[in-house]
Amino acid sequence: MPRKKTEHPAPALAKAAAPVRQAPDKAKTINDIARLAEVSKKTVSRVINHSPLVHQETRERVEAVMRQFNYTPDPFARGLAFRRSFLIGMVYDNPTAQYIVNMQYGALDAIRDSGFELVVHPCDSRNPGYIDGVHRFVQQQKLHGVMLVPRVSEDQALADMLADIGCRYSRIASVSLDEASRMVITHDRDGAAEAADYLQSLGHRDIALITGPSSYRSAHERTAGFVEALSKRGIELPAARIVEAGYTFESGVAAAERLLSGNQRPSAIFAGNDEMAAGVYKVALRAGISIPQQLSVVGFDDSPLASRLWPALSSVRLPVRDMGRIAASMLLQSEPGAASVASASVRPHLVVRDSCQPPAY
Amino acid sequence: MPRKKTEHPAPALAKAAAPVRQAPDKAKTINDIARLAEVSKKTVSRVINHSPLVHQETRERVEAVMRQFNYTPDPFARGLAFRRSFLIGMVYDNPTAQYIVNMQYGALDAIRDSGFELVVHPCDSRNPGYIDGVHRFVQQQKLHGVMLVPRVSEDQALADMLADIGCRYSRIASVSLDEASRMVITHDRDGAAEAADYLQSLGHRDIALITGPSSYRSAHERTAGFVEALSKRGIELPAARIVEAGYTFESGVAAAERLLSGNQRPSAIFAGNDEMAAGVYKVALRAGISIPQQLSVVGFDDSPLASRLWPALSSVRLPVRDMGRIAASMLLQSEPGAASVASASVRPHLVVRDSCQPPAY
DNA sequence: CTGAAAGCGCTTACAG
DNA sequence: CTGAAAGCGCTTACAG
């Protein structure tokens, strides 16, 4: 009922329309809380920031009021005063989608209910200006910290830049590249060794390896772990059984073609990631080589692909979500200077499916 | 060299250590720019916000100074004063990883160099509290706007909540669900029709369909588009040839088992997404039914999986990155109230690979 | 077209 | 343990 039509509005009705003259649900500010809790805004600020310099009773009174009005401090006001934000950046360079998404879920696990949010920043490390791009991103948004995902996490120049401008960061990598408080180490080497042990234990002796690009630390580690573990068990890989590829499906196809074309085929292939393992599947299927009867295959990453191939691919799994969670929580815990004691570490493990069996000699 | 140890520090040296008494590279503020350009800070503010109320000469002088000192306004100060941020939220509910990542790339394409950043917010729409979660997210961060990705984009209650609190949003969906200025329409129906026409043109007559869950709008559209297109060409799908599954690999396997177990097999199967199509591959491979010789298969999504299966899967592609770019740019362009004229629209198309051929009757 | 004042909601630095 | 003042870097509302 439009107001204008009521020629003589009853005062009572008018009052009901705007009861108690209280802004409907305007967000409370620190001043409101201070007034309602009968303290100064500075004391409320201390409670917000968990300062020990507040009397227990005072703290409880303030917290009760905050809870009652569902108060949360304005991140922009805090950001302005603190000169830094409550934003965590995730910087990455085009690994596979599932990896990125799992990593994001992990980071979000860590910051849930902390008042922090996740800002994503994919970049292209082949572009020489990409470090400047990250620099601008960090400065502009006054990021609380950034997580560096492989492969950008391996770029020392990036880490140096962040250290220079005093931005906290955490790096996820297959080996330690920095002080412990900044590293989440994934030990890819151990995962590759487990794959090697598995194939050897099945009875394979003529084994081939498709590696990722040697410029990738993870590829180097996976290769070294695999070769060393076999060597420990008395199997030396001849150079012809090691083919370097590019971590892509197509490069895996090309590598598998080389490996499977001769008349002396290996009985098993370990691929440095699942994409390349899928390439092996394609070549084998096309050539009528049946997996696992005539060829065993192991991948790395345990991507969604692994369980969708047929036969399902055995693959080394990295706990990506955990890695993301740990990398993000390192940023929340540590003060910029303070070094935490323990270095974070995570272990890969082999997920056995249907792509391997003893060789048919 | 610690200062205390130098008993008589040479004044000249001390001066060299802090040359010209100018803060090394402290970020300039609006006040610095105002002083250097010899205008008031308000005028600088006008230039920043592209106000027309600035003399051309003045504007150029201010812009020159801003450029010279590489000045960008502090997003927190602006956020505080404006009461809203320069953050775009992306809200989504667990579709596949590649979809999410492509969507993120698209959104980032749109906001590049705009001063906006992308904040991700995955959520679980089966959780009844998820709308409150989005509410808090939006209010807390004072988001400039949010993009709603399927399937949360289909939830009218979510859209209503956002409209209620005056938050701008854009919705990506297979059909129009809202005013044109807020929709990116993907026309899944047309893509499914193209798949139907393709199979029919190859000569298939006994065709089966594995649909996604009927509660998904996209599944409904894909099914309708496929069935109608076949009907137009004189092929009616009997009920037994339509199996509802859950958009997952496993559900695709189960559906394919039903479809391929009888002795009267269809000669072609259209799956509502690639995950389920991969399930068809698994069943066919296991049963010794060769693709495409004995069975043609078409998927939907053109996920990475499609080209990694063997034979490579023909699949309907949605321009996901474009969808993300358009959805994000809609948020940047429009003022909260202003309705843009055209509705955004995007078309799927069939990517033909090696999974289909004429039936072997 | 331009500017001086007040304010956004917090914090730091200083007192007590 | 608590508080009054000043300030973070912008904008709005008001003048001119």
Side-chain angles (χ1 to χ4, degrees), chain A residues 78-137:
Chain A
R78 298 187 85 194
L80 182 57
F82 269 138
R83 286 170 200 72
R84 60 187 182 73
S85 77
F86 297 85
L87 262 18
I88 298 286
M90 179 170 149
V91 176
Y92 55 91
D93 179 12
N94 190 43
T96 60
Q98 190 65 50
Y99 188 87
I100 291 303
V101 166
N102 284 346
M103 190 72 80
Q104 291 177 357
Y105 278 116
L108 291 163
D109 288 344
I111 66 181
R112 199 181 316 293
D113 298 322
S114 68
F116 283 83
E117 296 289 342
L118 215 217
V119 186
V120 297
H121 189 85
C123 55
D124 181 356
S125 65
R126 290 164 309 182
N127 176 338
Y130 98 96
I131 291 186
D132 284 347
V134 177
H135 187 157
R136 270 197 308 278
F137 173 57

Side-chain angles (χ1 to χ4, degrees), chain B residues 21-22 28 34 42 50 71 122-123 125 152 155 184 259 320 359:
Chain B
R21 203 115 223 118
Q22 178 193 298
K28 293 275 179 288
K42 179 58 216 174
H50 304 103
Y71 167 78
C123 56
S125 65
V152 288
D155 188 342
V184 179
L259 253 12
V320 178

